[in-house]
Amino acid sequence: MAKLLNYQQLGSGKDIILIHGLFGRLENLGMVAKALAENFRVTSVDVRNHGDSFHDSVMDYPTMAQDIVALMEHLAIKSAVVLGHSMGGKIAMELALTFPQLVEKLIVADIAPVEYPPHHNKIIAGLQSLDFTIIKQRKDADKELSSYVEELSVRQFLLRNLSTENGQLAFKCNVENIATNYPEIMKTYQGNNSYQGATLFIKGANSDYILPEHRDEILRLFPQSRARVIQGAGHWLHAEKTTAFNRSVEGFLAS
């Protein structure tokens, strides 16, 4: 029997599934879930090796898309709007391209269907450097991590993964499994399908994850796609400009 992702449901009505990004957890999209739950049944998931979901040594996109399929079957969801941010966007795209009948509409937040060069190596090294037999407090973890990750906001995001187990700090996410699978996480869709359903790509104006040179590949795989740019937002566009992000999503769903 397939292992099931940890999930949380809000609201009622047509189904929407929310998928967070790398080193995230379902709470990251909480303000999006709360707004959508006024009109929809929202299922937010923890991706494998993240949050309260199971840990597993395999972490490629076909497998992570299959995790969503298994959860949909468990919850008797025949089809849903699927929204994913960053790595979650790649999982959502993989799902739509492989199981188009399950995806009513697709929303991809600040990621393109392309292979990215590795750019989280310092973060991974920093997280691996934390020795919780010595580090007893979050502030000490932050201080240690600051020599690898300069941006306070990024450190705060990463350290949200900390929990206390048996009186000792530990990460909820499985850093070692993520590090081992990092080359897979940077990859893109490997198949030959295209998704014919309505698709929205939302880009943060200050982010370089979606670039003009990605347009041809986006249209090849998602010919019915359109784009929205949120001004004043970077890669964490749903957190930085929540109202504008939610308005873009709701407008797309109403159209």
Side-chain angles (χ1 to χ4, degrees):
M1 184 173 156
K3 290 181 275 190
L4 286 176
L5 298 177
N6 180 56
Y7 68 93
Q8 194 175 79
Q9 284 190 319
L10 291 172
S12 60
K14 282 186 149 186
D15 284 291
I16 295 189
I17 296 171
L18 305 185
I19 313 173
H20 66 77
L22 186 62
F23 295 116
R25 46 194 197 141
L26 61 80
E27 289 92 339
N28 294 155
L29 290 162
M31 295 305 289
V32 180
K34 189 177 173 186
L36 288 170
E38 292 177 17
N39 298 301
F40 298 89
R41 180 170 70 160
V42 183
T43 304
S44 302
V45 305
D46 281 329
V47 174
R48 60 171 53 203
N49 292 315
H50 290 73
D52 291 318
S53 279
F54 59 87
H55 295 174
D56 195 285
S57 60
V58 179
M59 213 178 153
D60 55 63
Y61 286 109
T63 304
M64 291 192 284
Q66 193 65 54
D67 289 341
I68 305 295
V69 175
L71 184 64
M72 290 178 76
E73 288 174 355
H74 173 74
L75 297 172
I77 297 174
K78 289 190 169 61
S79 71
V81 173
V82 182
L83 184 161
H85 170 248
S86 199
M87 177 186 75
K90 282 197 167 183
I91 297 170
M93 288 189 276
E94 185 83 30
L95 181 71
L97 290 162
T98 313
F99 303 98
Q101 72 281 7
L102 299 181
V103 181
E104 203 169 302
K105 286 184 173 182
L106 175 66
I107 303 168
V108 180
D110 212 61
I111 198 82
V114 298
E115 182 157 344
Y116 288 88
H119 54 281
H120 296 88
N121 293 340
K122 286 189 83 171
I123 286 175
I124 291 170
L127 295 177
Q128 288 177 315
S129 77
L130 299 179
D131 182 352
F132 294 118
T133 62
I134 299 167
I135 296 168
K136 301 300 180 190
Q137 294 183 300
R138 284 170 182 266
K139 66 177 184 181
D140 297 326
D142 181 64
K143 186 178 177 184
E144 182 78 23
L145 194 57
S146 67
S147 58
Y148 294 85
V149 182
E150 286 181 19
E151 302 91 338
L152 175 62
S153 60
V154 177
R155 294 200 307 275
Q156 287 173 333
F157 165 75
L158 294 166
L159 293 174
R160 279 188 205 144
N161 283 292
L162 283 178
S163 65
T164 304
E165 295 173 18
N166 304 319
Q168 184 174 311
L169 286 174
F171 279 120
K172 277 183 173 285
C173 62
N174 190 312
V175 176
E176 295 308 319
N177 284 351
I178 292 169
T180 302
N181 285 279
Y182 184 64
E184 288 294 329
I185 294 165
M186 289 298 98
K187 284 183 181 175
T188 188
Y189 174 66
Q190 305 294 311
N192 300 308
N193 299 344
S194 62
Y195 173 68
Q196 301 299 320
T199 305
L200 177 67
F201 283 82
I202 311 177
K203 169 183 163 55
N206 302 335
S207 169
D208 59 3
Y209 274 78
I210 300 177
L211 297 171
E213 54 262 37
H214 299 153
R215 187 172 184 271
D216 288 350
E217 185 64 3
I218 288 170
L219 289 174
R220 184 180 76 83
L221 294 171
F222 304 99
Q224 304 302 320
S225 64
R226 61 180 96 157
R228 280 297 302 270
V229 178
I230 296 185
Q231 297 303 322
H235 186 55
W236 305 100
L237 63 179
H238 55 88
E240 295 166 23
K241 298 286 181 183
T242 304
T243 303
F245 184 86
N246 288 345
R247 200 181 297 129
S248 295
V249 170
E250 288 160 8
F252 173 67
L253 295 177
S255 63

